[in-house]
């Protein structure tokens, strides 16, 4: 109670002109990476109604809700899209439809989430690690060029943290080798220049794959994913594989898997999709604010936006000198600010992937693991939250 009166007194003393009572009080609050119940609170009734519709319908697998959501994705992306169980399944099914198997090599960045490489191993193929640019965190086409071999059967281009990998540059080195766009982190990002101007992430390669993991740009309240392909043969093949290899009910033409977008998740996603564009706008504003507030902190490297892509700010990831990164993370945690390290180890250095191939230098991937720090970015955050985080970072560097 005493603290409240002191804060209120400070507020009355005209501090209100430079910061609100809420801001003064928020200095004492903790800031999570993302607060999903708060994100959902603005349209909770719509969510309840939509979930209730599925509960009362008795159709818990497939049905109109899944079909409507798939149709709205297809419409938005301008490319046929269907739902699957999660983003990892989406990658696996895409590789299966491309016929990837033992003896094949698939190029993948060493700096990404495990799913992108795991599925290669699951199919008995071999991942060949490539390096990323330190500025964009995305695949370096020059590195890909050096890693190609006669066994290369696919390239997985991950659009990390919310912006597009340079697909035009990758196309040039890939030739006829299919590119799978792992779009788990970049749903809604768009090319703004070049050959693919106006195209969305996931719609350019042989396949695009989406994850609806709850914290993803478009997140469900459980698992979900989708597969995008403008190639009707590949699309149909992937669809059949995801339905036990069936082209028709009880007609199994190949070995498939069981991977479906759950009806309740589709109902949730349908509501969240209606509110998606404002969340992108809000995150853009928060990212701009981070840039403004942190520009003077010379000890940091702020995330660059590529000239050819929009950024959906799935993560706001700064680079901090490796001597400071863990200390800064700890300092922020002590002050109530959550941060995350995506990712602390290059996949090439993980025991599970010891049999994969390191043919080209991946030094950028390894150094990024010691430098990256992702700060909270959640569409329900206040501008004041960003200021608190930035001030705490400045305090750490005594600025
Ligand atoms: C880059 C990337 N690819 C794939 C996935 C896998 O998605 P899911 O968790 O839906 O299987 C993720 C999820 O974290 C991801 O970040």
């Amino acid at each position: 109670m005493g603290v409240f009166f002191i804060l209120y007194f400070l507020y009355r003393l005209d501090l209100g002109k430079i910061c609100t009572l809420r801001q003064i009080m928020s200095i004492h609050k903790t800031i999570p990476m993302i607060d999903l119940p708060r994100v959902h609170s603005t349209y909770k009734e719509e969510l309840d109604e939509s979930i209730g519709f599925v509960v009362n319908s008795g159709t818990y697998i497939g049905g109109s809700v899944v079909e409507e959501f798939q149709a709205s994705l297809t419409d938005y992306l301008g490319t046929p899209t269907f739902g699957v169980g999660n983003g990892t399944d989406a990658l696996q099914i895409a590789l299966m439809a491309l016929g990837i198997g033992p003896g094949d090599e698939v190029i993948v960045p060493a700096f990404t989430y495990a799913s992108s490489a795991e599925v290669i191993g699951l199919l008995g193929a071999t991942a060949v690690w490539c390096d990323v640019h330190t500025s964009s965190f995305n695949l370096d086409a020059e590195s890909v060029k050096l890693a190609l071999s006669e066994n290369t059967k696919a390239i997985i281009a991950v659009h990390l943290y919310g912006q597009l990998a340079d697909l035009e540059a990758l196309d040039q080195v890939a030739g006829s080798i299919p590119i799978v766009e792992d779009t788990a982190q970049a749903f809604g990002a768009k090319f703004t220049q070049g050959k693919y101007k106006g195209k969305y992430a996931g719609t350019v390669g042989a396949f695009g794959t989406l994850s609806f993991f709850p914290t993803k740009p478009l997140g469900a309240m459980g698992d979900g994913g989708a597969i995008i392909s403008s190639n009707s043969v590949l699309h149909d093949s992937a669809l059949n594989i995801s339905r036990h290899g069936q082209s028709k009910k009880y007609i199994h033409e190949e070995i498939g898997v069981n991977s479906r977008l759950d009806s309740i998740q589709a109902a949730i996603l349908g509501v969240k999709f209606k509110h998606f564009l404002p969340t992108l706008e809000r995150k853009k504003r928060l990212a701009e604010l981070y840039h403004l507030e942190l520009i003077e902190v010379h000890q940091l490297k702020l995330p660059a936006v590529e000239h050819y892509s929009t950024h959906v700010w799935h993560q706001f990831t700064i680079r901090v000198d490796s001597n400071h990164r863990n200390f800064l993370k700890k300092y922020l945690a002590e002050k109530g600010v959550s941060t995350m390290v995506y990712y602390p180890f290059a996949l090439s250095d993980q025991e599970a992937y010891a049999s994969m191939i390191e043919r080209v230098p991946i030094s950028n991937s390894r150094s990024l693991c010691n430098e990256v720090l992702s700060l909270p970015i959640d569409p329900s955050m206040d501008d004041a939250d960003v200021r608190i985080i930035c001030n705490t970072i400045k305090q750490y560097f005594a600025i």
Side-chain angles (χ1 to χ4, degrees), residues 35 112 130 264 352:
D35 185 339
T112 180
C130 268
I264 288 188

Side-chain angles (χ1 to χ4, degrees), residues 354-373:
S355 62
M356 305 303 175
I357 298 176
E358 189 173 330
R359 184 175 290 147
V360 297
I362 48 167
S363 49
N364 289 349
S365 299
R366 289 204 170 95
S367 52
L368 283 174
C369 293
N370 298 318
E371 293 174 9
V372 289
L373 190 64

Side-chain angles (χ1 to χ4, degrees), residues 85-89 91 112-116 158-160 182-185 209-213 216 223-225 314 343:
N86 55 64
T88 311
D89 281 2
L91 282 164
T112 180
Y113 185 59
S115 302
S116 326
V158 184
H159 303 307
L160 207 69
D182 181 344
T183 313
Q185 302 193 7
T209 59
L210 295 175
S211 163
F212 303 125
F213 184 85
K216 289 289 190 279
D223 278 312
H314 173 55
Y343 299 93

Side-chain angles (χ1 to χ4, degrees), residues 113 262 294 301:
Y113 185 59
D262 180 87
L294 293 176
K301 292 198 179 69

Side-chain angles (χ1 to χ4, degrees), residues 74-375:
T74 297
D75 192 42
Y76 174 74
L77 296 169
T79 310
T81 305
F82 64 92
V84 292
N86 55 64
T88 311
D89 281 2
L91 282 164
Q92 181 178 338
I93 294 163
L95 292 187
M96 287 171 82
L98 290 171
I100 304 297
D104 294 338
E105 292 181 1
V106 178
I107 287 180
V108 66
F111 186 70
T112 180
Y113 185 59
S115 302
S116 326
E118 173 174 61
V119 293
I120 302 169
L122 277 173
L123 297 178
T126 308
V128 177
W129 310 115
C130 268
D131 214 0
V132 296
H133 293 288
T134 50
S135 53
S136 66
F137 310 104
N138 277 328
L139 207 48
D140 175 355
E142 281 306 306
S143 169
V144 173
K145 193 173 169 183
L146 296 174
L148 292 170
S149 84
E150 57 185 17
N151 296 324
T152 311
K153 292 290 159 24
I155 297 169
I156 298 184
V158 184
H159 303 307
L160 207 69
Y161 300 154
Q163 74 177 333
L164 284 148
D166 189 349
L167 292 187
E168 232 180 289
L170 287 171
D171 264 359
Q172 278 173 15
V173 298
S176 59
I177 300 168
I179 296 179
V180 175
E181 297 175 67
D182 181 344
T183 313
Q185 302 193 7
F187 177 67
K190 215 177 189 180
F191 283 99
T192 52
Q193 273 186 27
K195 187 162 108 185
Y196 299 126
K197 187 174 172 187
K199 293 239 172 218
Y200 282 106
T203 66
V204 169
F207 281 110
T209 59
L210 295 175
S211 163
F212 303 125
F213 184 85
T215 57
K216 289 289 190 279
L218 179 63
M221 293 188 183
D223 278 312
I227 296 183
I228 310 163
S229 184
S230 57
N231 178 319
S232 59
V233 176
L234 290 177
H235 170 279
D236 292 353
S237 166
L239 184 62
N240 294 350
I241 290 168
S242 73
R243 312 290 186 257
H244 301 284
Q246 296 175 102
S247 54
K248 288 196 194 91
K249 202 164 170 62
Y250 299 129
I251 306 294
H252 302 268
E253 286 163 350
E254 58 192 314
I255 301 284
V257 296
N258 175 23
S259 187
R260 300 182 278 233
L261 179 63
D262 180 87
S263 311
I264 288 188
Q265 298 309 330
I268 291 162
L269 286 162
V271 172
K272 289 191 71 176
F273 195 29
K274 290 189 192 131
H275 298 271
F276 179 63
L277 292 181
T279 69
L280 291 192
E281 278 308 309
R282 181 68 196 134
K283 284 199 193 175
K284 191 171 167 212
R285 157 79 192 149
L286 294 169
E288 282 164 4
L289 197 54
Y290 266 129
H291 272 106
L292 271 176
E293 294 286 328
L294 293 176
I295 194 88
E296 66 197 91
V297 187
H298 299 297
Q299 293 87 340
L300 305 180
K301 292 198 179 69
L302 302 182
V305 179
E306 289 288 345
H307 63 280
Y308 57 80
S309 167
T310 61
H311 203 313
V312 295
W313 298 108
H314 173 55
Q315 300 297 342
F316 189 91
T317 303
I318 57 173
R319 286 166 58 204
V320 192
D321 185 285
S322 55
N323 295 325
H324 281 288
R325 200 270 311 272
N326 291 347
F327 291 112
L328 174 61
K329 184 174 185 359
K330 188 163 173 279
Y331 183 81
L332 287 166
E334 282 162 9
K335 302 285 176 186
V337 177
S338 305
T339 58
M340 290 294 286
V341 173
Y342 300 117
Y343 299 93
F345 303 105
L347 291 183
S348 46
D349 299 338
Q350 299 275 2
E351 200 182 331
Y353 307 120
S355 62
M356 305 303 175
I357 298 176
E358 189 173 330
R359 184 175 290 147
V360 297
I362 48 167
S363 49
N364 289 349
S365 299
R366 289 204 170 95
S367 52
L368 283 174
C369 293
N370 298 318
E371 293 174 9
V372 289
L373 190 64
S374 297
L375 305 178

